[in-house]
Amino acid sequence: PLRGLTLRADAYLTVIDGRVEIRRPSPSAVQANATPTNSTPITSKGMEAQVDYKSPRLGAYASYSLQSSTYPKQDLLSLGLDTVQVRTDAYPTHLLKAGVTWTERPWYLRGNIEGRYVGARLGNLDNNALINPLDHLENRYALSAYALVDVSVSTVGIEFWKGHESVFLAKVHNLADARYTFPGTNGFDIPGFERSFSFSLQQEL
């Protein structure tokens, strides 16, 4: 019963040197537009784990990732120009995905359900400076965690001409119509996608 089971796990440490980021200039700067600037190295560490199971009728997977990324930055508002470790924005510390696919070839049908949990993400550092102008490097706001579920039904094994499969797919995105937000810039965060429906046809040539 465990023949189709696969387990994977890894840990990593990544250091990116010569990093460039887009930052908004200070109010006293001549230019008003955000510009690329040289930034301090960023250090990322974390782990990933995944389990997969496959059988003729059932396919399932689950994956989890944990990460932490920081970079040193000089606090221009401190009296001693202290250097603090700043946590990166836009990417969650916790990310969980899971899905199940069930195939009934005698009925030419395949069903799939997939869910993902995205942990809280810090907002853009420039946006945070608008909310916490006096200590924006250490006092950060975060976008709420959220969970999304997608469901789809498709055909399997249908061939209008031999050797060329035709796949009809109907899918519901964000089944529970969850409300969530992507990190943005220039004082704005971006609303996530509401519940939607899609239909498609894939034809092998």
Side-chain angles (χ1 to χ4, degrees), residues 83-153:
T83 298
V84 298
Q85 288 292 323
V86 179
R87 293 183 294 157
T88 57
D89 53 50
Y91 197 83
T93 300
H94 304 278
L95 182 62
L96 176 64
K97 294 182 179 181
V100 176
T101 300
W102 187 268
T103 303
E104 289 289 350
R105 290 190 176 274
W107 298 349
Y108 302 100
L109 286 176
R110 173 175 290 152
N112 174 264
I113 182 169
E114 181 179 69
R116 52 196 180 277
Y117 169 82
V118 180
R121 294 169 292 177
L122 292 178
N124 178 271
L125 200 59
D126 286 335
N127 286 0
N128 189 67
L130 300 176
I131 300 174
N132 304 300
L134 299 181
D135 58 348
H136 70 285
L137 293 181
E138 297 181 323
N139 187 13
R140 307 284 298 276
Y141 82 93
L143 305 174
S144 299
Y146 61 91
L148 300 177
V149 177
D150 299 337
V151 177
S152 66
V153 177

Side-chain angles (χ1 to χ4, degrees), residues 6-38:
T6 303
L7 302 175
R8 301 181 181 89
D10 64 81
Y12 63 87
L13 173 65
T14 304
V15 179
I16 301 176
D17 205 354
R19 184 171 64 100
V20 176
E21 64 178 351
I22 306 298
R23 294 302 309 275
R24 188 178 61 193
S26 64
S28 60
V30 176
Q31 77 276 12
N33 295 329
T35 57
T37 59
N38 293 323

Side-chain angles (χ1 to χ4, degrees), residues 15-83:
V15 179
I16 301 176
D17 205 354
R19 184 171 64 100
V20 176
E21 64 178 351
I22 306 298
R23 294 302 309 275
R24 188 178 61 193
S26 64
S28 60
V30 176
Q31 77 276 12
N33 295 329
T35 57
T37 59
N38 293 323
S39 299
T40 53
I42 184 172
T43 301
S44 297
K45 55 184 180 294
M47 58 81 65
E48 299 169 333
Q50 181 167 334
V51 55
D52 295 277
Y53 180 77
K54 292 184 179 180
S55 72
R57 299 175 68 184
L58 177 66
Y61 80 94
S63 65
Y64 171 73
S65 66
L66 171 70
Q67 72 86 33
S68 175
S69 301
T70 59
Y71 57 94
K73 193 171 185 65
Q74 195 173 60
D75 188 356
L76 300 179
L77 297 179
S78 68
L79 297 178
L81 294 180
D82 298 329
T83 298

